[in-house]
Structures are given as structure tokens and as C-alpha cells.
Amino acid sequence: TNWSNGEVVQRGTGGNYGVDGFLRPGFSYEHGLDYLRSKVLEHKEFEQNFDEFLSRDWKIKFAASWIPKRLEMDNNFMDETQALLKKAIHEQFITEIAQDKDLWDKPHEVLLKKIFSEIESSSVGRISISLFWDQVIEKLGNTDTRVIDFHVPIAMTLEQAVQDILDFSRQYYDENKRISSELEHQPKSVD
């Protein structure tokens, strides 16, 4: 079948009145980022608005997979999760540049890792996403414009999406909505 999570939960709890069922999606950080990257590319190709990049339901699914319940307010856990995801985004950025056949002047992996570590070591505290990537562009200097016009905006949007998901999980924890099944918000089945 091609049922959505909501349909499985609704059908699985009987007459569409159950409130206690919830399917927790599970996927690795890398697979989640791969999916997010494909969504960013899709939005970019169709020139869609990035403010509506991830729907509420997708934020719920990502938060459920990446952030276990009751760890949303653990600053150490959230900081480590964000650092892990940021590192994965940087590695994905390097890999995508290396595989891009349209680039004539590819920045080398060692150079990119050096740039990332220089920016992170020179900043005190947290650095904003846009400032970080502005510094990456500045340090890259004279490189292929496709890196700056295509790859950097994708990585920057990915990083912002991850931040939005982490913030969303905290907000939903504060409002005591992460524990419920979200069954009431799922669309009705189509058959």
C-alpha cells in the first residue's frame, strides 16, 4: 500500500477514533539530510518559497526521528545534535562539489575542511548561519560561480531547515504536543 503514517495510525486503531497510536519514523541523520537536500533542490528548480519549505507534518516527522521525546530541553543533547548535523551538511557540501560535473574549478576537499575549521575556531560562541556561509564564500575567493550560486545556498538552506526542526521540537515540547499522536491533524484516508 501507499498509506501515509496518519492513515496507518488511523486504520490501525480501529474506527478512526484512537488517540494513542503513533508511528515513529526512523532514519539516519544522513538519510534525513539527503531527503532535505532533494526537497531544497526541488524548491529551487520550481522557484518556490523557502519560508514554506517544510510543512508542520514534515517537521513533526523529522523531530520524531532525530530528537527523542524529553530531550528537546537538554541543551547538551541539542547542541551535539546540531553540531553532528552541521558536520554532516559540510561533508555533504564537499561531496556534492566533488561530484558536480558542471564545475570547472572545484575547491579541493582539504581546502574546504580548512575553511570550515578556520571559521569555527575564529568565532566566539555561535555564529549565525548566513554569516558562516558568507565567510565561506569570502575565503573561497575566486572560484567557480556555480559553487557560490548553487551549492552554498543549498547548504545554507539545509542548515536553516535543521535549525527550524530543532526549534520546532522545543516549541512542541513547550506546548506539550510532542507526546500526543497528532492523529487529529492527519488528513482523512482517500479510499
Side-chain angles (χ1 to χ4, degrees):
T1 75
N2 62 354
W3 294 354
S4 70
N5 262 0
E7 288 175 302
V8 172
V9 170
Q10 287 176 341
R11 294 174 189 197
T13 56
N16 291 344
Y17 59 84
V19 184
D20 57 353
F22 181 71
L23 296 180
R24 181 180 174 86
F27 46 82
S28 68
Y29 294 112
E30 290 83 11
H31 286 123
L33 288 174
D34 288 343
Y35 177 79
L36 281 177
R37 186 175 192 285
S38 69
K39 292 291 285 179
V40 170
L41 288 171
E42 181 182 306
H43 270 67
K44 189 171 178 60
E45 287 174 10
F46 293 110
E47 298 176 2
Q48 293 175 333
N49 184 2
F50 278 107
D51 294 335
E52 300 159 9
F53 172 57
L54 285 175
S55 69
R56 187 185 131 284
D57 289 335
W58 277 110
K59 287 178 186 175
I60 288 171
K61 286 173 177 67
F62 274 97
S65 179
W66 285 347
I67 305 148
K69 292 179 198 169
R70 299 197 178 106
L71 285 179
E72 304 91 338
M73 303 314 276
D74 182 342
N75 290 332
N76 289 332
F77 175 80
M78 294 298 275
D79 289 345
E80 289 299 318
T81 301
Q82 187 168 17
L84 175 77
L85 289 166
K86 185 174 185 166
K87 182 178 181 207
I89 290 169
H90 293 173
E91 289 171 2
Q92 187 182 61
F93 176 76
I94 291 168
T95 302
E96 292 299 327
I97 286 176
Q99 294 174 352
D100 191 340
K101 292 180 173 76
D102 293 333
L103 286 176
W104 57 270
D105 181 25
K106 296 181 185 184
H108 195 271
E109 176 181 348
V110 175
L111 172 65
L112 289 169
K113 285 184 177 182
K114 182 180 179 220
I115 288 171
F116 292 152
S117 64
E118 280 179 7
I119 294 170
E120 288 168 357
S121 65
S122 69
S123 63
V124 178
R126 285 197 176 169
I127 185 170
S128 75
I129 294 168
S130 59
L131 181 59
F132 176 86
W133 287 101
D134 287 345
Q135 289 181 18
V136 168
I137 291 170
E138 182 183 317
K139 289 184 181 286
L140 277 173
N142 194 11
T143 188
D144 195 313
T145 57
R146 183 165 164 80
V147 172
I148 294 166
D149 296 339
F150 181 75
H151 291 287
V152 169
I154 288 172
M156 196 162 60
T157 304
L158 268 176
E159 224 175 301
Q160 187 59 53
V162 164
Q163 184 61 52
D164 292 347
I165 291 166
L166 296 176
D167 292 344
F168 181 83
S169 71
R170 284 187 168 172
Q171 173 194 351
Y172 258 42
Y173 177 83
D174 286 341
E175 297 170 4
N176 200 25
K177 292 183 178 178
R178 282 210 65 193
I179 296 169
S180 70
S181 69
E182 293 294 323
L183 181 63
E184 300 83 26
H185 303 292
Q186 296 292 336
K188 295 287 183 201
S189 61
V190 292
D191 52 288

